[in-house]
Amino acid sequence: MPRLSKDQHELLTTTVDRWLKKNYRQPVDLPALAQEIGITRFLLCRLYHERSGKTIRLKQREIRIHHAAKLLASGTGKVGDVARAVGYGSVSHFTKAFLEEKGLLPSLWRSRPRIIALPKTSGNLPPPGLAFVRTIGEVPPELSYVSGHWDPAGVDPAPSARTPKRPAARKKEGNAFVD
C-alpha cells in the first residue's frame, strides 16, 4: 500500500473535488476516477475520507444540493425539474437529501424570504443595518419574521408594552395646558 505525502493527499482531495464539481450531474464512477488518478477505488475512497472527513458520495450530494438551492432560490422551475437538473432521478430521494443538507424542504427553501437588494449609501460607508449580511440573496439567521416585517431575532417587537410610563406633567400655573 503506497504512503502518500501531505502534498499528495491535498492533490488527491483537490483533484476529486474538482472532478465532482465539474461532473456533479452524473453518477460517480469510482473505478474510472480511481484509474484516472492511478490508484484503486478502495484506496481512493479511504484516502479521500481521511483527508476531507467526508465520503466522495457525501461530497457529491453536498455539491448537488448547493446547485439545487441556487436554482430553487431563483424561483424558476418545479422541484422535480430542479432535482433532475442536478442529477437526481427520484424527487423523493432529492427531497430527503435536500432536507438533510439544508434543514428545509425544497419547496420551503424556494418560498423563504430573501434580501433582494441592499440600500445605497453615500461614500464608502457600509449599508445601514445590514453589515452582518454574508451573501446577497439569503436572509441571515440573525433575522426573524415578526408581525409583517423583519426584526432582529430575540428582540421583542413591542418593547413599548414593557417600558414604564412617563409620569404625567404636573399642572402648574404658567403651563399652557392647565385649564
Side-chain angles (χ1 to χ4, degrees):
M1 176 169 53
R3 295 288 297 168
L4 298 178
S5 68
K6 186 176 181 177
D7 292 337
Q8 289 172 323
H9 263 280
E10 286 185 33
L11 181 63
L12 177 123
T13 307
T14 55
T15 302
V16 171
D17 286 346
R18 192 177 323 118
W19 189 90
L20 288 173
K21 287 176 183 174
K22 182 180 175 187
N23 303 303
Y24 70 91
R25 290 180 179 103
Q26 285 82 33
V28 177
D29 186 6
L30 288 175
L33 181 58
Q35 185 176 7
E36 185 178 316
I37 294 173
I39 57 177
T40 67
R41 69 182 175 134
F42 302 107
L43 185 60
L44 170 69
C45 292
R46 190 179 61 107
L47 292 175
Y48 184 82
H49 188 268
E50 283 176 5
R51 181 73 181 147
S52 69
K54 299 177 185 176
T55 65
I56 293 174
R57 296 202 191 276
L58 187 61
K59 182 65 177 180
Q60 181 191 34
R61 182 181 83 174
E62 182 181 290
I63 293 168
R64 283 179 170 182
I65 297 302
H66 173 76
H67 286 285
K70 284 183 178 180
L71 290 173
L72 288 168
S74 70
T76 57
K78 297 178 181 178
V79 173
D81 296 338
V82 170
R84 283 183 287 286
V86 296
Y88 283 94
S90 165
V91 177
S92 62
H93 186 225
F94 167 73
T95 302
K96 182 180 177 184
F98 197 94
L99 184 61
E100 287 178 12
E101 280 292 319
K102 297 292 187 181
L104 281 174
L105 292 170
S107 56
L108 295 176
W109 182 269
R110 181 183 18 194
S111 65
R112 80 190 198 298
R114 291 176 296 280
I115 295 173
I116 304 301
L118 294 174
K120 297 199 183 278
T121 60
S122 62
N124 57 0
L125 297 173
L130 293 176
F132 54 84
V133 173
R134 287 178 273 296
T135 58
I136 303 289
E138 294 189 19
V139 177
E142 294 89 6
L143 295 178
S144 65
Y145 192 72
V146 179
S147 69
H149 64 281
W150 289 102
D151 288 324
V155 174
D156 188 3
S160 60
R162 288 191 285 144
T163 57
K165 293 184 179 182
R166 293 189 343 205
R170 294 184 185 159
K171 294 183 181 183
K172 297 187 216 175
E173 283 199 40
N175 190 338
F177 297 105
V178 175
D179 288 335

